[in-house]
Amino acid sequence: MATPKNNIFINKIIKHYLKYDRDNPFIFISSLLAFIGIATGVMVLMLAMGMMNGTKKEWQKSLFVMNYPITIIPLNYEVANNELVDTLSHKFPDLKFSPFYQTGVFSKSSTGIEGFMLYGVDFKKEMQINPVLKKAEQNALNSHSKFKLFVGKAFLEKTFKQKGQKLTLNFSTQQAIGFGSMPIQKRFIIDATFDSGLNNYDEKILYTTHQAFQKILKYPKNIYDGIHIYSKNPIEDKKRIETFLKTIGEDKILKVQGWWEQNASLFSAMQMEKEALFLVLLLIILIASLNIISSLLMTVMSRRAEVALMRTLGATSAEIKSIFFRLGTIIGVSGIVMGATLGFIGIWVLTTFPIISLPKEVYGFSNLPVDLTTTDFLSIIIGAFIIVILSSLYPAKKASTTDPLTVLRNE
């Protein structure tokens, strides 16, 4: 165990070796490069992980709204009805429910035929769980027609339509015309536009009223194609709903689907990309740590006489090993601290000033999102620290095995 006197001796030697040596300038330069490399690696890792997390959260936010946190899908006819909605609303008062109809429709234009997904909703209930539609209502024409439409901003740009104009939609259901049949057609009025930030949704999803489905397609008033559910904790609430459906014996005829299950492949790919990026960028720190090894080995080689002299004056092998181990650790940890500081400064700059702008129509957001989680930050620091520790072990062990007799005889 090191005594206070031994610690004073070790600290003085470390301070001496950290100073610039005119006779061996390359040792100091190698140490400086190690410090800069580790700091750069930590900073880049923090920024990259922050960008990955920020991008993932922005997409999750948009998909959370447009895909709905939880959706109940009936596997048999007539099981998703008003009775089920009332039962679930009574059992789970903390959740919000919006039953819906859905069908595929298409529209003809000068550019060809475009297909869309049309939802029939109760707008009062739907706006309680869909902030995108609620925001769109602020600029709506407030048409009282049962055939009003809420369409995406990208839809208007693609179809060259404007708010207030009428749009003819063709349904897949056929109606008899003479000796033949043709798709049911109906003209709707574009009452409002929404912007979810996701072009694929804004182009392909349309909203109308329950009454429109009931009038055009003869849908019953109390039987639906599914139920949208808003939840702040969808993973836990999905389990609660599934458990409740089992107790009432309807778990076999009702499927409960979370928003993350509808986009599982996307987020799995993003997670894999994030892990791969972390490992690749960690190589920057690994390469920088090689400079720690080289600088320490050069220090050991250039200071052999001093090491041998310290051994003859009573310094133990453990003390010599401690000197060079601490020397490498100081260089590495200093680089980690500097890199973390620069990383937080970089994150603050990117989140405060619009230095990098992105095309919103492509990504769904215009400002670069950066959100570094505590878990990722700790992973970066721990990973860098382990690399620094391992890089300091071999040179320290090499120095501690120096034979003072052999060195002093040859010097």
Side-chain angles (χ1 to χ4, degrees):
M1 185 175 180
T3 63
K5 289 185 178 180
N6 290 342
N7 283 329
I8 293 172
F9 163 72
I10 291 172
N11 292 335
K12 284 185 177 181
I13 298 298
I14 291 174
K15 289 180 182 179
H16 173 65
Y17 285 170
L18 286 174
K19 293 180 182 179
Y20 177 75
D21 188 356
R22 293 182 179 180
D23 297 330
N24 298 286
F26 291 107
I27 296 176
F28 180 82
I29 293 174
S30 180
S31 300
L32 184 63
L33 290 175
F35 169 81
I36 294 173
I38 291 172
T40 302
V42 171
M43 178 188 69
V44 172
L45 255 176
M46 288 177 62
L47 293 175
M49 292 299 100
M51 292 175 190
M52 289 291 293
N53 280 326
T55 302
K56 183 179 179 180
K57 283 191 175 182
E58 285 294 327
W59 283 348
Q60 283 181 342
K61 189 186 300 181
S62 298
L63 290 171
F64 187 85
V65 173
M66 300 310 294
N67 277 4
Y68 300 92
I70 304 173
T71 301
I72 292 181
I73 303 171
L75 303 180
N76 287 341
Y77 184 65
E78 295 186 352
V79 293
N81 48 40
N82 283 336
E83 183 180 352
L84 176 64
V85 175
D86 293 339
T87 301
L88 292 174
S89 299
H90 178 73
K91 179 65 178 179
F92 304 102
D94 55 319
L95 305 182
K96 296 178 181 179
F97 301 85
S98 175
F100 66 89
Y101 301 119
Q102 68 176 7
T103 187
V105 296
F106 63 92
S107 175
K108 298 178 181 179
S109 65
S110 58
T111 58
I113 298 176
E114 290 286 341
F116 311 99
M117 178 62 69
L118 179 65
Y119 283 94
V121 298
D122 182 335
F123 279 101
K124 290 183 179 179
K125 292 182 178 180
E126 189 71 12
M127 287 174 187
Q128 292 179 358
I129 70 173
N130 191 328
V132 173
L133 289 190
K134 186 175 182 180
K135 184 178 179 181
E137 187 191 25
Q138 298 174 3
N139 299 315
L141 299 177
N142 293 320
S143 171
H144 297 290
S145 171
K146 65 179 69 173
F147 302 110
K148 65 180 180 180
L149 275 181
F150 275 42
V151 305
K153 181 180 179 182
F155 172 87
L156 292 185
E157 295 173 352
K158 190 170 185 177
T159 58
F160 304 103
K161 292 288 185 179
Q162 293 181 358
K163 189 165 60 175
Q165 290 185 334
K166 292 186 177 181
L167 174 69
T168 300
L169 295 180
N170 298 271
F171 293 78
S172 57
T173 304
Q174 302 287 314
Q175 61 180 348
I177 301 292
F179 293 101
S181 63
M182 65 176 294
I184 294 177
Q185 295 182 337
K186 183 61 186 178
R187 297 181 74 185
F188 291 80
I189 182 171
I190 300 175
D191 189 70
T193 60
F194 58 84
D195 185 4
S196 69
L198 298 172
N199 268 22
N200 288 337
Y201 285 83
D202 292 351
E203 285 182 2
K204 298 298 182 181
I205 292 182
L206 313 175
Y207 291 90
T208 189
T209 63
H210 280 168
Q211 292 80 3
F213 271 77
Q214 294 162 3
K215 181 71 175 179
I216 301 169
L217 301 178
K218 311 302 180 185
Y219 275 37
K221 292 184 177 181
N222 63 337
I223 298 174
Y224 307 103
D225 292 328
I227 304 171
H228 290 146
I229 305 173
Y230 177 79
S231 164
K232 294 182 179 180
N233 301 297
I235 296 178
E236 294 299 323
D237 289 333
K238 177 178 179 290
K239 295 178 182 178
R240 292 169 56 202
I241 294 173
E242 288 175 334
T243 302
F244 174 71
L245 292 178
K246 286 182 180 180
T247 61
I248 61 176
E250 296 190 357
D251 57 305
K252 303 296 184 182
I253 55 177
L254 290 169
K255 179 181 178 182
V256 184
Q257 189 176 52
W259 70 271
W260 61 94
E261 295 173 321
Q262 300 174 20
N263 302 276
S265 58
L266 170 64
F267 290 108
S268 295
M270 290 185 68
Q271 183 63 29
M272 184 180 298
E273 183 180 356
K274 177 183 173 182
E275 292 173 357
L277 184 63
F278 179 83
L279 294 176
V280 169
L281 293 179
L282 200 63
L283 291 176
I284 297 177
I285 301 175
L286 182 61
I287 293 171
S289 69
L290 297 178
N291 284 325
I292 294 179
I293 298 175
S294 62
S295 64
L296 289 179
L297 288 176
M298 284 191 290
T299 303
V300 172
M301 296 302 294
S302 64
R303 306 285 186 178
R304 284 184 304 172
E306 295 181 12
V307 173
L309 183 60
M310 285 187 287
R311 290 295 304 276
T312 57
L313 292 175
T316 64
S317 175
E319 289 173 340
I320 299 299
K321 185 176 182 180
S322 178
I323 289 172
F324 287 93
F325 179 77
R326 291 187 190 183
L327 187 63
T329 304
I330 288 172
I331 296 172
V333 171
S334 299
I336 293 174
V337 173
M338 177 57 70
T341 303
L342 293 175
F344 282 120
I345 292 174
I347 291 173
W348 177 79
V349 170
L350 290 175
T351 53
T352 304
F353 305 102
I355 297 176
I356 301 176
S357 59
L358 302 172
K360 189 174 183 180
E361 63 274 8
V362 176
Y363 296 98
F365 42 84
S366 56
N367 294 329
L368 182 66
V370 183
D371 184 13
L372 181 66
T373 64
T374 303
T375 302
D376 286 338
F377 174 70
L378 292 177
S379 299
I380 294 169
I381 298 302
I382 292 172
F385 185 74
I386 291 174
I387 291 174
V388 167
I389 294 298
L390 294 177
S391 301
S392 305
L393 285 175
Y394 175 71
K397 184 178 180 181
K398 186 72 174 176
S400 66
T401 58
T402 301
D403 184 4
L405 294 178
T406 303
V407 172
L408 292 176
R409 186 185 303 120
N410 294 332
E411 287 293 335

